[in-house]
Amino acid sequence: MNDTDTPAPETWDFWQDGSHEPALNMALDEALLLSAAVRGRPLLRFYGWDRLAVSIGYVQRHDAAPAGFAVVRRPTGGGVVYHDHDFTYTVVVPEGHWLTGLDRLRSYRWINRSVQAGLEHCRMSASLAASEIPHQVDRLTMVCFQNPTRYDVLMAGRKVAGSAQRRTREGILHQGSLHFGGPLPVPRAALADALLAGLRAVLNLTLESWAPNADVTALAERLVREKYGTDDWNRRR
Protein backbone atom coordinates (compact mmCIF):
# COMPACT_ATOMS: atom_id res chain seq x y z
CA MET A 1 0.00 0.00 0.00
CA ASN A 2 1.50 3.33 -1.08
CA ASP A 3 0.74 6.38 1.03
CA THR A 4 -0.96 8.05 -1.96
CA ASP A 5 -3.23 5.08 -2.74
CA THR A 6 -6.88 4.92 -1.76
CA PRO A 7 -7.46 1.81 0.37
CA ALA A 8 -9.94 -0.73 -0.86
CA PRO A 9 -13.36 -0.28 0.76
CA GLU A 10 -13.80 -2.28 3.94
CA THR A 11 -15.97 -2.53 7.04
CA TRP A 12 -14.74 -1.91 10.59
CA ASP A 13 -16.50 -2.51 13.87
CA PHE A 14 -17.30 0.63 15.87
CA TRP A 15 -17.86 0.65 19.61
CA GLN A 16 -19.27 3.87 21.05
CA ASP A 17 -18.27 3.06 24.60
CA GLY A 18 -18.96 5.04 27.76
CA SER A 19 -16.74 6.24 30.60
CA HIS A 20 -14.87 3.81 32.85
CA GLU A 21 -12.27 3.71 35.60
CA PRO A 22 -8.69 3.95 34.29
CA ALA A 23 -7.77 0.31 34.89
CA LEU A 24 -10.83 -0.95 33.04
CA ASN A 25 -10.17 1.34 30.08
CA MET A 26 -6.72 -0.18 29.58
CA ALA A 27 -7.97 -3.69 30.25
CA LEU A 28 -10.69 -3.35 27.64
CA ASP A 29 -8.15 -2.23 25.06
CA GLU A 30 -5.93 -5.24 25.73
CA ALA A 31 -8.94 -7.55 25.66
CA LEU A 32 -9.88 -6.14 22.26
CA LEU A 33 -6.36 -6.85 20.98
CA LEU A 34 -6.35 -10.39 22.35
CA SER A 35 -9.71 -11.09 20.68
CA ALA A 36 -8.89 -9.37 17.38
CA ALA A 37 -8.52 -12.62 15.42
CA VAL A 38 -11.96 -13.79 16.54
CA ARG A 39 -13.59 -10.62 15.18
CA GLY A 40 -11.49 -10.80 12.02
CA ARG A 41 -11.66 -7.11 11.18
CA PRO A 42 -10.46 -3.81 12.67
CA LEU A 43 -12.34 -2.14 15.50
CA LEU A 44 -12.62 1.52 16.47
CA ARG A 45 -13.52 2.41 20.06
CA PHE A 46 -14.47 5.86 21.42
CA TYR A 47 -14.51 6.07 25.21
CA GLY A 48 -14.17 8.32 28.25
CA TRP A 49 -12.80 8.41 31.80
CA ASP A 50 -14.95 8.46 34.92
CA ARG A 51 -12.44 10.50 36.97
CA LEU A 52 -9.46 12.80 36.59
CA ALA A 53 -6.64 10.52 35.47
CA VAL A 54 -3.36 10.28 33.69
CA SER A 55 -2.02 7.33 31.76
CA ILE A 56 1.72 6.76 31.62
CA GLY A 57 3.63 5.01 28.86
CA TYR A 58 4.72 1.39 29.15
CA VAL A 59 8.37 2.25 29.91
CA GLN A 60 7.80 5.39 31.98
CA ARG A 61 8.52 5.89 35.67
CA HIS A 62 5.46 5.97 37.91
CA ASP A 63 6.65 9.23 39.46
CA ALA A 64 6.31 10.91 36.04
CA ALA A 65 2.60 11.19 36.88
CA PRO A 66 1.46 14.37 38.66
CA ALA A 67 -0.15 14.37 42.08
CA GLY A 68 -3.93 14.54 42.32
CA PHE A 69 -4.73 12.20 39.40
CA ALA A 70 -5.55 8.52 39.26
CA VAL A 71 -2.70 6.77 37.44
CA VAL A 72 -2.70 3.79 35.11
CA ARG A 73 0.13 2.40 33.00
CA ARG A 74 -0.72 1.88 29.33
CA PRO A 75 0.23 -1.23 27.38
CA THR A 76 1.60 1.15 24.73
CA GLY A 77 4.53 3.57 24.82
CA GLY A 78 4.66 7.35 24.73
CA GLY A 79 4.46 10.00 27.43
CA VAL A 80 2.15 11.11 30.21
CA VAL A 81 -1.37 11.79 28.89
CA TYR A 82 -3.87 13.85 30.89
CA HIS A 83 -7.41 12.52 30.80
CA ASP A 84 -9.30 15.57 31.96
CA HIS A 85 -10.65 17.32 28.86
CA ASP A 86 -9.33 14.90 26.25
CA PHE A 87 -11.08 12.73 23.68
CA THR A 88 -9.73 9.18 23.63
CA TYR A 89 -10.03 6.48 21.02
CA THR A 90 -8.56 3.09 20.20
CA VAL A 91 -7.99 1.28 16.92
CA VAL A 92 -7.40 -2.48 17.05
CA VAL A 93 -6.21 -4.14 13.84
CA PRO A 94 -5.97 -7.95 13.51
CA GLU A 95 -2.81 -9.54 12.12
CA GLY A 96 -2.95 -9.90 8.34
CA HIS A 97 -4.70 -6.59 7.70
CA TRP A 98 -2.87 -4.23 5.36
CA LEU A 99 -2.10 -1.80 8.20
CA THR A 100 -0.12 -4.52 10.01
CA GLY A 101 2.08 -4.85 6.93
CA LEU A 102 3.24 -1.24 7.26
CA ASP A 103 5.97 -0.06 9.58
CA ARG A 104 4.89 1.78 12.72
CA LEU A 105 5.37 5.30 11.32
CA ARG A 106 3.45 4.64 8.13
CA SER A 107 0.52 3.15 10.05
CA TYR A 108 0.57 6.23 12.32
CA ARG A 109 0.42 8.40 9.22
CA TRP A 110 -2.69 6.70 7.88
CA ILE A 111 -4.58 6.88 11.15
CA ASN A 112 -3.48 10.42 12.02
CA ARG A 113 -4.33 11.64 8.51
CA SER A 114 -7.84 10.44 9.34
CA VAL A 115 -7.82 12.44 12.59
CA GLN A 116 -6.52 15.48 10.70
CA ALA A 117 -9.34 15.14 8.17
CA GLY A 118 -11.84 14.86 11.03
CA LEU A 119 -10.65 18.12 12.57
CA GLU A 120 -11.01 19.81 9.21
CA HIS A 121 -14.67 18.69 9.21
CA CYS A 122 -14.94 20.92 12.31
CA ARG A 123 -13.26 23.79 10.44
CA MET A 124 -10.05 23.35 12.44
CA SER A 125 -6.97 23.57 10.27
CA ALA A 126 -4.45 20.87 11.21
CA SER A 127 -1.17 19.47 9.94
CA LEU A 128 1.05 16.46 10.62
CA ALA A 129 4.34 16.91 12.44
CA ALA A 130 7.42 16.32 10.29
CA SER A 131 10.15 15.60 12.87
CA GLU A 132 10.88 13.10 15.63
CA ILE A 133 11.11 13.85 19.37
CA PRO A 134 14.63 15.22 20.04
CA HIS A 135 17.01 12.66 21.53
CA GLN A 136 17.65 14.80 24.62
CA VAL A 137 14.01 14.50 25.77
CA ASP A 138 13.72 12.10 28.72
CA ARG A 139 11.18 9.52 27.55
CA LEU A 140 10.86 8.09 31.06
CA THR A 141 9.17 11.27 32.32
CA MET A 142 8.03 13.22 29.24
CA VAL A 143 4.53 14.65 28.88
CA CYS A 144 2.97 13.48 25.63
CA PHE A 145 1.40 16.73 24.41
CA GLN A 146 4.51 18.79 25.15
CA ASN A 147 6.60 16.64 22.80
CA PRO A 148 5.26 16.23 19.26
CA THR A 149 6.78 13.50 17.13
CA ARG A 150 6.48 12.60 13.48
CA TYR A 151 2.89 12.38 12.21
CA ASP A 152 1.33 13.74 15.40
CA VAL A 153 -1.49 16.19 14.61
CA LEU A 154 -0.71 19.89 15.09
CA MET A 155 -2.81 23.05 15.13
CA ALA A 156 -0.91 26.34 14.88
CA GLY A 157 2.26 24.42 15.69
CA ARG A 158 0.83 22.89 18.88
CA LYS A 159 0.26 19.16 19.29
CA VAL A 160 -3.43 18.34 19.66
CA ALA A 161 -3.48 14.62 18.84
CA GLY A 162 -0.99 11.93 19.73
CA SER A 163 -0.94 8.16 19.77
CA ALA A 164 1.09 5.09 20.65
CA GLN A 165 1.08 1.51 19.47
CA ARG A 166 1.67 -1.99 20.68
CA ARG A 167 2.30 -4.67 18.06
CA THR A 168 1.91 -8.37 18.89
CA ARG A 169 1.16 -11.57 17.03
CA GLU A 170 -2.54 -10.68 17.43
CA GLY A 171 -2.13 -7.39 15.54
CA ILE A 172 -1.92 -3.69 16.43
CA LEU A 173 -3.29 -1.83 19.43
CA HIS A 174 -3.27 1.90 18.58
CA GLN A 175 -4.26 4.20 21.46
CA GLY A 176 -4.93 7.84 20.64
CA SER A 177 -5.92 11.04 22.43
CA LEU A 178 -6.93 14.54 21.39
CA HIS A 179 -6.29 17.37 23.83
CA PHE A 180 -6.63 21.07 23.06
CA GLY A 181 -5.14 22.43 26.29
CA GLY A 182 -8.52 22.90 27.95
CA PRO A 183 -12.18 22.07 27.29
CA LEU A 184 -12.92 20.65 23.85
CA PRO A 185 -13.42 23.44 21.28
CA VAL A 186 -16.58 21.79 19.95
CA PRO A 187 -19.17 19.58 21.65
CA ARG A 188 -17.91 16.05 22.25
CA ALA A 189 -20.62 14.52 20.06
CA ALA A 190 -19.74 16.86 17.18
CA LEU A 191 -16.05 15.96 17.48
CA ALA A 192 -16.92 12.26 17.48
CA ASP A 193 -19.00 12.65 14.33
CA ALA A 194 -16.21 14.60 12.65
CA LEU A 195 -13.59 11.99 13.51
CA LEU A 196 -15.83 9.27 12.14
CA ALA A 197 -16.19 11.27 8.92
CA GLY A 198 -12.41 11.65 8.67
CA LEU A 199 -11.81 7.94 9.18
CA ARG A 200 -14.45 7.02 6.64
CA ALA A 201 -13.00 9.38 4.06
CA VAL A 202 -9.28 8.62 4.42
CA LEU A 203 -9.50 4.87 5.06
CA ASN A 204 -12.53 4.26 2.82
CA LEU A 205 -14.55 2.69 5.62
CA THR A 206 -18.02 1.58 6.44
CA LEU A 207 -18.55 1.34 10.20
CA GLU A 208 -20.89 -1.13 11.88
CA SER A 209 -22.00 -0.77 15.49
CA TRP A 210 -20.46 -3.31 17.85
CA ALA A 211 -20.60 -4.15 21.53
CA PRO A 212 -18.49 -6.59 23.57
CA ASN A 213 -19.77 -10.05 24.35
CA ALA A 214 -19.49 -11.78 27.69
CA ASP A 215 -16.10 -13.30 26.83
CA VAL A 216 -14.49 -9.92 26.10
CA THR A 217 -16.04 -8.38 29.22
CA ALA A 218 -14.85 -11.26 31.42
CA LEU A 219 -11.33 -11.05 29.96
CA ALA A 220 -11.19 -7.31 30.64
CA GLU A 221 -12.37 -7.78 34.21
CA ARG A 222 -9.66 -10.41 34.76
CA LEU A 223 -7.03 -8.06 33.33
CA VAL A 224 -8.14 -5.38 35.82
CA ARG A 225 -7.73 -7.80 38.74
CA GLU A 226 -4.43 -9.29 37.60
CA LYS A 227 -2.75 -6.39 35.83
CA TYR A 228 -4.08 -2.87 35.31
CA GLY A 229 -5.59 -2.50 38.77
CA THR A 230 -2.44 -3.63 40.56
CA ASP A 231 0.57 -1.80 41.97
CA ASP A 232 2.80 -4.47 40.44
CA TRP A 233 1.82 -3.20 37.00
CA ASN A 234 1.32 0.50 37.61
CA ARG A 235 4.38 1.04 39.86
CA ARG A 236 6.70 -1.39 38.13
CA ARG A 237 9.20 1.45 37.38
Side-chain angles (χ1 to χ4, degrees):
M1 170 73 69
N2 294 320
D3 290 343
T4 56
D5 292 343
T6 299
E10 61 177 322
T11 300
W12 286 19
D13 293 322
F14 172 56
W15 182 16
Q16 178 63 70
D17 195 8
S19 296
H20 304 292
E21 64 167 321
L24 182 56
N25 272 332
M26 296 300 96
L28 285 166
D29 276 356
E30 183 167 347
L32 293 174
L33 176 62
L34 293 171
S35 59
V38 175
R39 290 189 305 278
R41 63 188 184 187
L43 180 145
L44 170 68
R45 174 189 176 219
F46 287 171
Y47 64 100
W49 303 73
D50 69 357
R51 66 200 69 183
L52 285 176
V54 294
S55 60
I56 56 177
Y58 178 78
V59 303
Q60 288 199 291
R61 298 204 315 254
H62 185 269
D63 62 9
F69 290 78
V71 182
V72 66
R73 184 178 301 279
R74 295 189 304 274
T76 56
V80 177
V81 177
Y82 285 76
H83 303 294
D84 45 9
H85 302 292
D86 74 330
F87 186 105
T88 40
Y89 71 93
T90 296
V91 173
V92 179
V93 183
E95 184 58 40
H97 186 271
W98 65 267
L99 279 169
T100 67
L102 304 180
D103 65 32
R104 178 181 57 87
L105 280 176
R106 290 183 66 208
S107 64
Y108 276 19
R109 184 176 186 272
W110 276 102
I111 295 172
N112 286 350
R113 278 179 57 203
S114 304
V115 173
Q116 176 190 14
L119 293 178
E120 290 171 352
H121 273 273
C122 292
R123 302 183 183 278
M124 292 186 280
S125 179
S127 61
L128 299 184
S131 59
E132 301 284 351
I133 296 173
H135 292 298
Q136 64 267 27
V137 172
D138 181 2
R139 285 162 173 76
L140 298 181
T141 60
M142 71 178 185
V143 176
C144 177
F145 282 82
Q146 294 176 3
N147 295 280
T149 193
R150 195 173 185 191
Y151 300 139
D152 282 342
V153 182
L154 310 177
M155 287 177 54
R158 180 186 181 279
K159 179 174 176 176
V160 297
S163 52
Q165 283 187 6
R166 177 182 176 190
R167 289 179 172 233
T168 70
R169 64 185 179 183
E170 287 85 13
I172 297 173
L173 171 61
H174 181 102
Q175 296 180 308
S177 173
L178 288 84
H179 202 302
F180 300 88
L184 296 176
V186 297
R188 185 170 293 271
L191 181 58
D193 288 345
L195 293 174
L196 292 176
L199 285 153
R200 289 189 185 103
V202 172
L203 294 173
N204 203 10
L205 301 182
T206 298
L207 295 166
E208 289 191 357
S209 294
W210 180 92
N213 60 24
D215 290 341
V216 171
T217 300
L219 175 56
E221 291 171 349
R222 178 168 66 81
L223 287 166
V224 170
R225 293 192 304 271
E226 298 178 359
K227 187 173 183 179
Y228 295 102
T230 70
D231 280 349
D232 283 348
W233 170 259
N234 290 311
R235 295 181 178 270
R236 61 188 302 178
R237 291 179 176 85

